[in-house]
Structures are given as C-alpha cells and as structure tokens.
Amino acid sequence: MIDYGLLSSIILAVGLPTLLARQWRITGPDGPVGFMDIAVGPAFAGLAAGRLTTLALDDPQSIGSLSDLLIIRSGVEFWPAVLVAVAVLAVGARRAGVRPLGRVAEVTPLSMVGYAAYEAACLFRDGCYGPESAVGLRAPGLSTTMLPVGVLMGIAVVVGAVVVHRMQGSPAGSMSVMLCGALVVAVVRSVGSFWLPHIGTGLTRQHVSSIFVAAALIVGLAVCVGRSGQEPDSTS
Amino acid sequence: MADPTSVGDSQTTVRGVILVPVESTPGVRSFGLRQVLLVGLLTVVMAYVGLAALRQPDLPAFVASGEPVELPVAGSVPEVSLAGFEGILVGQRGRPVVVNIWASWCAPCRTEMPLLQEAATAFAPDVVVLGVVSNDDPGAARAFLGELGITYPNVIDTTGRIRVALGLTAYPTTYVFGADGTMRARVNGGISEQRLAALVRDALR
C-alpha cells in the first residue's frame, strides 16, 4: 500500500530546499552545487541509521528483516539520523575538496527548511495533532478541532533557518552556524512534543532525546563562542 | 515595431530607450517565470496528491448487535464467529473499544502492537483494546502474541466474516468504536501514537 501522504511529505521536504538552493547557494570546488547532488546520499544514510536505531531500541529481533527495516513510517530516530547524515555530508565534502564544516554550515539552513516542510506536511499525512483548539484542524475520525502543532513547528523552523542563513559569513563561524541550526530544531521539537498527544503520562522518547540534544548543543555553542572570543576563527 | 539598434558592444536601444545588460550578482539568482510556474505547478500537484491522501472513504455501515458476550480471558485467543465478535462489542457498550485487525506475517502489525499494548494499559479500564487475528495461522498468531508480550484480549477470525463485515482493505487496520457502539474512525495501515491517543481521547469525551 503506497502511503501517498508520506510520499507527498518527502517530495516537499526535498523539493523546497532544492529550489531554495538557487538562492542560498552551496559552494563547490568549481562553483555552486545543487542541493540534491550532495544531500541524497547523506539523507539515505541518515534514514537507514535512524531506522536501525529505532529497531534496536523497540524491536531488536526485527533488525535482520528487510521488510521491517523498510517501513519508515514505523519510526526513524531523529537525532542519530541527523548525526549520521552530517557525518556522511562532511566526508563527501572532504572527498570533493571542500572544507567539511563550511559545507555542513551551508547545508544547515536548507536542511532546516526541508525538515520544516516535512513537519508542516502533517496536513498530508495522518492529520495534524495538538491540543484541542477552536482554531485548528479536524483530523479524520475526530469530533473536535486540534491546533496543528506540526504546521507551527514548521513555521518556527523556517524562521530559524532564515536567521541561521544570515549568520553565514558572520564572525560566528561555521561551527556556530551548524550548532545554532541544530539547536533551533531541538528546541522546536522539545516544545512541540509537549503539545502532541501521546499515550501515558511520561515524556516520549522524542521529547527526552530532543531536550537532551538541546542541552548538549547549548553547552557546545557556549564553548564555541568562548573559543571564538579568545582566538581568531579559523573555520569561517 | 521595435527597431533594436546596436549602441556600442553592450547596449541596445529600443524606441529610444537604452537597455543595459545587468550582470548577475554572484551568489544571488532571481527566480524566472519558468521557475515560478514550476513551483506553482508543483504546489498544485502536491496539494492535490496530499488532499487525496487525506480523503477518507466512508466508514462501513457496521453496527454490532446480538446478545452480549464476555471479553476473552487474556492469553486465551479463542476462535470466534461474526456473531461472537459482535457479542463482544455489545458486551462492552458503555466504554470505547479499539479493534485492531492484524496478522503475524504483517510487518507494520508487529511495529504497532506494542503501542496498542501501551494504550490498553494506559487507558484501562475506560477503554478496551481488542485484537482480531485475520487470515493467519492460529498457532503462528499465538506465538506472535507471546513473543511480543501482548496481554490485551485477542480473538481469531477463522471464517473471515469479521474482516468482510468491517470492510477490511489493508493490514493492519484499527477501528475505534464509541461508548454507544458506533464506529467512529478507521485507520488503514500502521497507526501513529499521536493519532491513536487523539482518537481514544476523542472517543472518551
């Protein structure tokens, strides 16, 4: 059964940054390069890593099953996926003769837009959920309207992406740009998790991991800013 | 008609207006009409596909009737007829029932069943979760339940009439019945935590 909602979301998540890359250019050794040219490999590597992590945490017996692995809808652990995608992107940049950190920093705001598109495309998947609200959307099967948290998350991340893009070329440095981008996403996911309906009373894994990552990124950003204040930035 | 006249190497006049070619600024490229049309077309196509994906077919006209039947004891996994299944639903009137149709060979079923187990525990006793094994070997299904540690009640649809009555088109499918016994929602394919929680809370209102 083809999940058209998921398919639409993925096309939007890839298509929007690809179009935007015509404005927010990615530097290559011989001029600008396309978003798709450099992002597809890392994206697939990240998806595979995220899916494997989910299976390892939820159902280790399924790891050997290709059919279980391919059901992306069943969950992709977000932050392991991001980590692996960034690593693959950096390796690809080094091989292409481009400074890895600079490439990751350039791709960061575009990736944020892709993520924002995916979140906002909750409209196309199984509906947008959130707290009950008079102003909102009615998901299939519900008698009440709910605030579309995914759409709000998407808007917040796009705003963050614009800010992060404007940081490019500033004294902040590539590392700071990258960390700021990740921090925006981590904070948005943490706040969004509070609003999303879930089973039980405890925090969801998505929530816990995003809070943990946000805290780690704040520390990393503080260290980065502290260092850049002491010595000239060698990364930008 | 315009009569372009060459003026020097880089300028052209049209009806007396000097047109000067503008060099593009490095790093900045403006969107042309073609790109705008492409984005517009893509947006329309995506909106159509997305809305088509959201469009839910009408729910089947299924209303359980008959004599009430007790919920099966956890771990028993009895084989039931359509009448027996309806009897179980009738017996649960007064609280919402989540019915999940699954099979042991279905990979998404394996993924979502721990979520249903969590829901069965979290929402008990206000909500009942009932699994229906369909199109499957009873032995494999029972082993599957044991392997995943599922404790909510399950029955086996040996005749296939339950899945026909519920208009099953995909594995797994989850149905939510309200406290009054009416079918409120059907989710084809794996169900997300957000959707399950939202549907159950809505049914509890």
Side-chain angles (χ1 to χ4, degrees):
Chain A
M1 191 174 77
I2 297 175
D3 190 336
Y4 289 104
L6 184 60
L7 188 64
S8 312
S9 306
I10 290 172
I11 291 173
L12 275 177
V14 175
L16 283 181
T18 301
L19 284 173
L20 192 60
R22 299 175 73 85
Q23 293 279 347
W24 295 358
R25 288 188 169 187
I26 304 167
T27 312
D30 305 313
V33 293
F35 180 77
M36 288 279 278
D37 297 333
I38 58 161
V40 170
F44 274 110
L47 272 177
R51 183 76 190 121
L52 276 172
T53 309
T54 300
L55 285 181
L57 292 171
D58 289 342
D59 191 10
Q61 290 177 330
S62 296
I63 287 181
S65 163
L66 185 63
S67 61
D68 284 359
L69 183 64
L70 289 176
I71 302 168
I72 299 295
R73 187 67 175 270
S74 303
V76 173
E77 218 58 31
F78 185 77
W79 291 108
V82 170
L83 196 64
V84 169
V86 168
V88 173
L89 182 66
V91 169
R94 185 179 290 276
R95 282 187 182 164
V98 178
R99 200 167 50 82
L101 209 50
R103 166 64 61 81
V104 174
E106 282 185 332
V107 171
T108 295
L110 292 167
S111 305
M112 290 169 73
V113 170
Y115 170 71
Y118 181 82
E119 284 292 354
C122 64
L123 293 167
F124 297 158
R125 293 195 297 275
D126 56 0
C128 291
Y129 298 100
E132 277 181 64
S133 165
V135 181
L137 300 170
R138 192 189 309 276
L142 295 187
S143 59
T144 52
T145 50
M146 299 181 112
L147 197 66
V149 168
V151 175
L152 300 182
M153 287 170 72
I155 292 168
V157 173
V158 165
V159 172
V162 172
V163 173
V164 168
H165 172 68
R166 292 195 170 184
M167 286 172 67
Q168 309 264 14
S170 72
S174 301
M175 178 62 91
S176 298
V177 169
M178 188 182 75
L179 293 178
C180 275
L183 181 60
V184 167
V185 174
V187 168
V188 167
R189 283 176 67 85
S190 301
V191 175
S193 298
F194 267 118
W195 283 351
L196 289 171
H198 59 274
I199 293 166
T201 52
L203 299 177
T204 61
R205 194 163 68 214
Q206 171 186 335
H207 197 177
V208 172
S209 63
S210 289
I211 289 174
F212 176 79
V213 169
L217 286 168
I218 288 171
V219 173
L221 202 54
V223 170
C224 197
V225 170
R227 279 187 182 170
S228 67
Q230 290 171 357
E231 59 191 55
D233 182 23
S234 59
T235 57
S236 60
Chain B
M1 182 175 169
D3 178 22
T5 308
S6 177
V7 179
D9 290 336
S10 60
Q11 296 178 356
T12 304
T13 57
V14 177
R15 290 186 177 175
V17 178
I18 297 173
L19 304 178
V20 181
V22 179
E23 287 187 15
S24 60
T25 308
V28 178
R29 192 187 292 180
S30 59
F31 282 104
L33 181 62
R34 189 180 291 180
Q35 273 103 17
V36 171
L37 285 174
L38 183 66
V39 171
L41 183 66
L42 269 177
T43 307
V44 170
V45 170
M46 292 311 303
Y48 177 77
V49 172
L51 290 174
L54 272 186
R55 200 179 301 134
Q56 298 280 319
D58 291 337
L59 293 175
F62 174 84
V63 180
S65 58
E67 291 298 311
V69 175
E70 287 286 315
L71 266 178
V73 180
S76 61
V77 200
E79 298 179 3
V80 298
S81 62
L82 177 58
F85 172 71
E86 289 192 43
I88 292 173
L89 292 183
V90 171
Q92 297 306 313
R93 292 264 162 89
R95 56 180 175 173
V97 180
V98 176
V99 174
N100 176 247
I101 299 195
W102 63 277
S104 62
W105 45 261
C106 148
C109 302
R110 183 184 183 91
T111 307
E112 73 173 7
M113 283 177 79
L115 184 65
L116 290 161
Q117 175 65 45
E118 204 179 332
T121 308
F123 292 112
D126 302 325
V127 176
V128 170
V129 177
L130 174 66
V132 178
V133 184
S134 174
N135 203 11
D136 199 3
D137 172 60
R142 290 190 177 102
F144 187 82
L145 289 171
E147 187 188 326
L148 290 181
I150 302 300
T151 58
Y152 59 79
N154 274 268
V155 296
I156 300 177
D157 173 26
T158 44
T159 62
R161 289 179 182 240
I162 298 175
R163 68 168 182 264
V164 172
L166 291 175
L168 187 80
T169 56
Y171 286 88
T173 294
T174 304
Y175 302 84
V176 178
F177 291 88
D180 59 354
T182 56
M183 188 188 290
R184 296 170 62 96
R186 173 178 59 184
V187 180
N188 291 335
I191 192 167
S192 67
E193 181 175 359
Q194 283 82 27
R195 190 166 197 178
L196 181 59
L199 288 172
V200 169
R201 294 211 175 102
D202 195 62
L204 280 169
R205 259 178 229 119

